[in-house]
Amino acid sequence: MSGAFSLSTSRRGFLLAGAGLAFTPWLQSWPARAGEAGASGDIRITVAPGRTRLVGPDRPETEVWAYNNTVPGPVVRLRQGEPARLVVENRLDEDTTVHWHGIRLPNAMDGVPGLTQPPIKPGETFVYEFTPPDAGTFWYHPHANSLQQLGRGLAGALIVEERTPIAVDRDLLWLLSDWRFTSKAQIAAGFGNAMEAAMAGRIGNVVTLNGAVPNEEPVRAGERVRLRLVNAALARIMALRFEGHRPAVVAIDGQPCAPHEPEGGRILLGPAMRIDIVLDMQGEPGQRYSVTDDFYDGHSYVLTNLIYGNETRLRRQPLDRALDLPRNPLPQPDLAVAERHELTLEGGMMGGMRRDMGGMMGGGPAWSINGMSMTGDGHAGMEPALTFRHGRSVVLKLRNDTAWWHPMHFHGHSFLVLDRNGMSVPHRQWQDTVLMAPRDTVEVAFVADNPGDWMLHCHVMDHQMTGMMTVLRVA
Ligand code: C2O
Ligand code: CU
């Protein structure tokens, strides 16, 4: 890992192994404060069953599993380059862990049961300690019994604040969750249905925004809003359109990109992805504008509406300030000397089934990566598909040899998306989750600078559980 960790954690000896890589100017001005972890206050997170009203005041409460009794969990706010201490207590009656999705942290803090830590048993507490090197929009969720635990409500946003944020009037978060509810607003049974697992996964019937069925988002004409979008769904891909508005994408998966308008005006958000946009509220006072999700053909719906108040316009012209977020200290891969590898995704219904996936319909693996099917959530003794020497630049070619979409997530690193189907990808997109369409080939590059065994898996939870997962080792 780059110098960010080693400057400010007590695990100095271990982390200095990663020093000598890119040092960015802000790090130089950042004082070393070894041993301060926790001094500024622990963040306590309790995982427990609970009840909450997700679908509206006149409907029944839903039985959920929750972080600190709220759905989604509390927004965890950390500061870039400052040590954090998160104390997680498990009051479920099954094991859990927390994965801090997208944070480049020490392997032992990554939350993969068996692989990076023992699971947190019922009644136990685990302390996560790390120093986030990157500012941006991240999230956290369990990595144990993932399909059910995430599907029953365990997810929350993690915002690492920039030292100098961009100028906006408001900074908003929309954490989007997808639920399959019964008519009594309870979470439907049937997690792990083998047929679904071999297709698009468990797509639900109700989408919530910050834990409520959305309807109206009050805005003011002329204001500039930063909107952090988080797709915390198990399987639902979203493509958001802001009627009458021109959003600018300023960060993807927490990493700043060149500000740009999304292709075709649609913000494509696969499960686990985050996109930060800047919206200038150029609509008319007193008017309403819909925000729609039209990802699935014939199933578009209005997610919510921007409701303009009647106040006078805050300003005539859009705020004349730059949209560029400060860059994070990511190590630049050297493409000239990078080692190159291919990972091929196979399996699922209708095509790409080269191997006999042995009893797919009987609950066996439905998917594979390079012919191997690691199932479940992570466990001890997983052999890595690839091993990289610490500090090497790596180009991975991911081939989707299936008929389905897959948001592929790599732990412990962010990667630069180089090209898709042979076309180079503009805007300097660093991501930790790349959404692949059926038959897509995507090339990504990164520096293997973070030692340990790291999961790479599809974030459609049913796909992960049924084999679309592998381990990459940095040694
Ligand atoms: Cu967000 Cu391995 O997951
Ligand atoms: Cu998948």
Side-chain angles (χ1 to χ4, degrees):
M1 180 49 53
S2 69
F5 295 138
S6 46
L7 281 175
S8 47
T9 80
S10 49
R11 266 178 297 276
R12 207 176 165 84
F14 168 64
L15 289 158
L16 277 178
L21 294 159
F23 246 71
T24 57
W26 73 261
L27 279 174
Q28 287 162 10
S29 63
W30 203 239
R33 278 178 292 180
E36 205 195 70
S40 51
D42 293 353
I43 296 173
R44 301 196 68 89
I45 297 177
T46 302
V47 194
R51 305 173 69 81
T52 179
R53 212 171 285 285
L54 293 168
V55 280
D58 48 344
R59 302 293 314 283
E61 285 186 326
T62 303
E63 289 188 30
V64 293
W65 294 348
Y67 291 128
N68 289 1
N69 217 17
T70 65
V71 171
V75 179
V76 171
R77 283 185 189 274
L78 303 179
R79 295 245 195 88
Q80 184 176 26
E82 291 193 11
R85 204 162 176 276
L86 300 116
V87 181
V88 176
E89 184 188 343
N90 181 9
R91 288 204 213 134
L92 297 175
D93 48 23
E94 62 181 55
D95 295 355
T96 194
T97 61
V98 180
H99 172 55
W100 312 95
H101 182 120
I103 304 283
R104 300 185 298 135
L105 40 58
N107 191 255
M109 299 293 123
D110 196 43
V112 181
L115 196 70
T116 72
Q117 69 167 93
I120 313 172
K121 301 224 167 301
E124 284 182 3
T125 293
F126 188 91
V127 181
Y128 292 91
E129 285 184 277
F130 57 87
T131 301
D134 302 327
T137 306
F138 302 92
W139 68 300
Y140 62 100
H141 63 79
H143 224 286
N145 192 14
S146 308
L147 176 61
Q148 283 213 42
Q149 292 194 9
L150 181 58
R152 293 188 182 280
L154 293 173
L158 195 176
I159 292 176
V160 183
E161 285 163 358
E162 288 97 19
R163 303 181 76 218
T164 27
I166 45 172
V168 294
D169 298 302
R170 289 190 298 152
D171 186 330
L172 303 180
L173 167 72
W174 289 6
L175 186 140
L176 304 169
S177 309
D178 179 40
W179 309 84
R180 186 176 296 173
F181 282 141
T182 64
S183 55
K184 302 210 160 52
Q186 297 309 306
I187 295 166
F191 285 98
N193 173 295
M195 173 76 92
E196 274 179 348
M199 300 174 72
R202 180 176 161 113
I203 295 172
N205 50 17
V206 173
V207 173
T208 56
L209 188 161
N210 298 341
V213 172
N215 181 25
E216 305 197 331
E217 308 302 322
V219 303
R220 177 164 181 194
E223 69 172 339
R224 171 169 287 182
V225 170
R226 174 181 184 170
L227 179 52
R228 301 168 188 263
L229 301 165
V230 181
N231 182 346
L234 293 174
R236 181 184 287 277
I237 303 167
M238 299 173 191
L240 303 185
R241 285 180 191 282
F242 288 78
E243 179 209 328
H245 292 75
R246 298 178 64 187
V249 174
V250 297
I252 305 177
D253 290 348
Q255 301 295 349
C257 57
H260 64 277
E261 286 194 31
E263 210 182 307
R266 277 168 89 191
I267 297 162
L268 194 56
L269 205 61
M273 288 182 64
R274 291 86 62 213
I275 293 186
D276 287 29
I277 60 174
V278 170
L279 268 179
D280 282 315
M281 297 301 175
Q282 293 303 97
E284 295 302 317
Q287 295 297 302
R288 64 161 50 206
Y289 300 83
S290 57
V291 181
T292 55
D293 170 7
D294 66 2
F295 181 76
Y296 299 99
D297 275 345
H299 295 276
S300 74
Y301 62 97
V302 175
L303 173 69
T304 188
N305 294 286
L306 304 179
I307 308 293
Y308 278 69
N310 290 315
E311 319 90 306
T312 53
R313 192 172 283 283
L314 188 61
R315 56 179 74 82
R316 283 272 121 217
Q317 296 298 318
L319 189 63
D320 184 18
R321 300 285 289 277
L323 296 181
D324 301 76
L325 287 161
R327 298 276 168 178
N328 287 317
L330 291 161
Q332 284 293 330
D334 182 342
L335 299 182
V337 302
E339 48 184 272
R340 293 174 177 265
H341 300 275
E342 273 191 33
L343 292 173
T344 303
L345 319 179
E346 290 181 292
M349 297 284 281
M350 295 181 287
M353 287 253 285
R354 298 226 180 107
R355 290 156 27 85
D356 172 16
M357 302 301 290
M360 182 183 82
M361 303 314 289
W367 308 92
S368 67
I369 298 180
N370 281 9
M372 292 196 297
S373 301
M374 287 176 180
T375 56
D377 307 279
H379 48 75
M382 283 189 173
E383 275 308 304
L386 299 170
T387 299
F388 311 120
R389 200 152 44 77
H390 182 228
R392 284 303 299 262
S393 291
V394 176
V395 173
L396 280 186
K397 182 181 274 196
L398 301 166
R399 286 180 179 285
N400 179 4
D401 209 354
T402 80
W404 303 93
W405 290 75
H406 305 289
M408 299 303 296
H409 170 49
F410 184 33
H411 287 211
H413 300 75
S414 289
F415 47 69
L416 181 62
V417 184
L418 299 176
D419 58 64
R420 190 181 287 269
N421 303 322
M423 307 266 285
S424 79
V425 173
H427 318 307
R428 302 197 355 146
Q429 301 188 4
W430 286 90
Q431 301 179 210
D432 55 59
T433 306
V434 63
L435 183 61
M436 302 185 68
R439 310 290 165 193
D440 262 4
T441 296
V442 172
E443 278 197 317
V444 302
F446 60 93
V447 178
D449 66 343
N450 199 355
D453 281 358
W454 302 102
M455 306 260 49
L456 183 147
H457 63 84
C458 178
H459 224 288
V460 170
M461 279 296 140
D462 318 69
H463 293 181
Q464 174 201 302
M465 303 295 283
T466 56
M468 193 167 279
M469 176 160 67
T470 194
V471 173
L472 307 184
R473 174 172 294 166
V474 178

